[in-house]
Amino acid sequence: MSAGRSALRMGPAELVQAAAMARRFYLEGKSKIQIAEEFGVSRFKVARVLETALERDLVRIEIRVPAELDAERSDALRARYGLRHAVVVESPADATEDAPDPENLGAVAADLLGELVNEGDVLGLAWGRSTIHMAASLHRLPPCTVVQLTGVYDAGTAERGSVEAVRRAAQVSGGDAHPIYAPMLLPDPATAAALRNQTGIARAFEYFDKVTVAAVSIGSWEPGISTVHDMLTDEERAHYASLGVAAEMSAHLFDAEGRRVGRDLGERCITVEADRLRRIPEVVAIAGGLRKASAIGAVLRSGLVTSLVTDTAVADYLLTESEPGLRPALDRADPDD
């Protein structure tokens, strides 16, 4: 609290009393009734004094969040896309259009999960560099079950990827872990179906309908930015590109308007189905960097995501887009699936 020039128009007794009342109310957390009793005045007078103290700059109120968080953009993004939560972090000063996801997204997403997950929940983690970084940053989680929602990019990287992320989250929470030891993409539907019936994978799939909070990543349909894109042959990439693929999330493909395309690919994938994903109460997407901005917009338009952790560069892109044409994220029914 500080006295501004306009407050000097108050007499010394008024200043002292107003400062004392303001201290009781704003710093000590006393109610107006308690203050009124202490000073022998009505609670209505206390309210007037506090209002005057604000008007005359005797009291200054600042709303502050950590420097890396952008509260204004976060709220604007949440409102524009009908999200439950949007958390926007500062983009690196030297970020370019080709820069990867900002490294601090994972730490912020880890803190967000610490808020969203309750004891007894089932937390689902999909494969993605962002979710892997998030899991590595986890320091607190209530006791919960952790299940892997997709296979891995390469069976040889399982220990360093989503399997390890599931184990890490379970270790932090003290709950059970249900990893999936299988590639995300298989050569054909028959092989994928056979793997889904294997005991360990089938057990993980049984938890999909119980997931209450999920963390997912988003990729653009470009080399090095989409896991699925990198696993396909040139001929397959050309086929799906001809369908207008603009984004990928958990092996599900979306066009620029957020419509799912290339659904046949799902028959070859070990992943949570889109209809199950839509039924999860809280789906948090962790994705940033300008190279993913349009893809993030496409996935938001699908309505499959309820919350987003991203950076200021992406937020500015999304907030200046034309009307997003959303399928409401909070409507968890998908008649198309």
Side-chain angles (χ1 to χ4, degrees):
M1 290 183 291
S2 61
R5 291 184 177 180
S6 57
L8 296 178
R9 293 197 297 267
M10 299 173 69
E14 291 178 302
L15 278 170
V16 170
Q17 184 184 70
M21 288 184 177
R23 180 174 295 279
R24 304 291 193 280
F25 185 73
Y26 291 108
L27 299 183
E28 298 176 12
K30 292 188 176 181
S31 70
K32 293 174 184 176
I33 293 177
Q34 290 174 315
I35 297 170
E37 291 175 351
E38 178 182 348
F39 286 88
V41 298
S42 71
R43 62 185 176 89
F44 300 106
K45 179 173 181 179
V46 173
R48 287 196 299 272
V49 170
L50 293 174
E51 184 178 350
T52 301
L54 284 171
E55 291 175 350
R56 298 191 177 184
D57 207 21
L58 181 65
V59 174
R60 295 176 183 174
I61 298 176
E62 290 185 307
I63 300 174
R64 303 181 66 182
V65 296
E68 67 174 357
L69 299 182
D70 192 306
E72 185 175 350
R73 285 183 175 92
S74 297
D75 188 55
L77 200 59
R78 177 200 57 77
R80 180 174 175 83
Y81 285 86
L83 299 169
R84 283 203 182 96
H85 306 280
V87 182
V88 178
V89 304
E90 288 290 337
S91 301
D94 57 351
T96 65
E97 289 192 5
D98 297 326
D101 293 21
E103 293 183 0
N104 53 353
L105 290 187
V108 173
D111 288 342
L112 178 60
L113 283 191
E115 291 183 65
L116 298 181
V117 176
N118 296 307
E119 184 172 351
D121 276 352
V122 176
L123 171 63
L125 300 181
W127 195 97
R129 295 178 183 89
S130 297
T131 51
I132 291 169
H133 292 159
M134 178 276 297
S137 300
L138 282 171
H139 296 291
R140 64 181 180 92
L141 271 181
C144 64
T145 299
V146 186
V147 61
Q148 193 169 320
L149 296 178
T150 66
V152 297
Y153 172 65
D154 183 331
T157 64
E159 293 300 314
R160 303 188 301 276
S162 47
V163 169
E164 181 56 33
V166 169
R167 287 176 173 168
R168 166 67 181 168
Q171 180 184 32
V172 172
S173 74
D176 294 332
H178 295 277
I180 293 177
Y181 296 96
M184 181 187 294
L185 181 66
L186 282 304
D188 53 71
T191 304
L195 276 178
R196 291 190 202 103
N197 289 326
Q198 287 189 358
T199 303
I201 297 174
R203 187 178 299 117
F205 267 63
E206 289 173 359
Y207 277 90
F208 285 2
D209 287 329
K210 303 174 185 178
V211 173
T212 49
V213 180
V216 301
S217 297
I218 295 173
S220 298
W221 195 244
E222 301 174 54
I225 313 180
S226 164
T227 301
V228 173
H229 181 282
D230 291 346
M231 288 191 287
L232 296 174
T233 66
D234 289 340
E235 183 179 355
E236 289 170 331
R237 290 176 193 141
H239 165 67
Y240 290 114
S242 71
L243 301 180
V245 175
E248 176 255 319
M249 180 181 70
S250 303
H252 300 296
L253 310 182
F254 305 86
D255 67 11
E257 302 305 316
R259 295 183 293 255
R260 288 185 57 222
V261 296
R263 299 183 184 217
D264 61 301
L265 185 65
E267 298 175 4
R268 296 170 50 194
C269 292
I270 303 296
T271 186
V272 59
E273 300 94 327
D275 59 340
R276 281 176 160 174
L277 195 62
R278 191 178 293 280
R279 290 197 295 268
I280 297 174
E282 187 74 76
V283 178
V284 181
I286 311 161
L290 274 175
R291 65 181 187 172
K292 287 187 179 179
S294 61
I296 294 169
V299 173
L300 290 183
R301 281 186 280 274
S302 76
L304 286 174
V305 167
T306 62
S307 297
L308 175 69
V309 178
T310 192
D311 65 298
T312 52
V314 171
D316 287 341
Y317 173 90
L318 296 175
L319 290 170
T320 55
E321 272 193 313
S322 57
E323 286 304 313
L326 299 173
R327 299 176 64 182
L330 303 188
D331 176 6
R332 312 305 289 165
D334 187 359
D336 297 330
D337 291 329

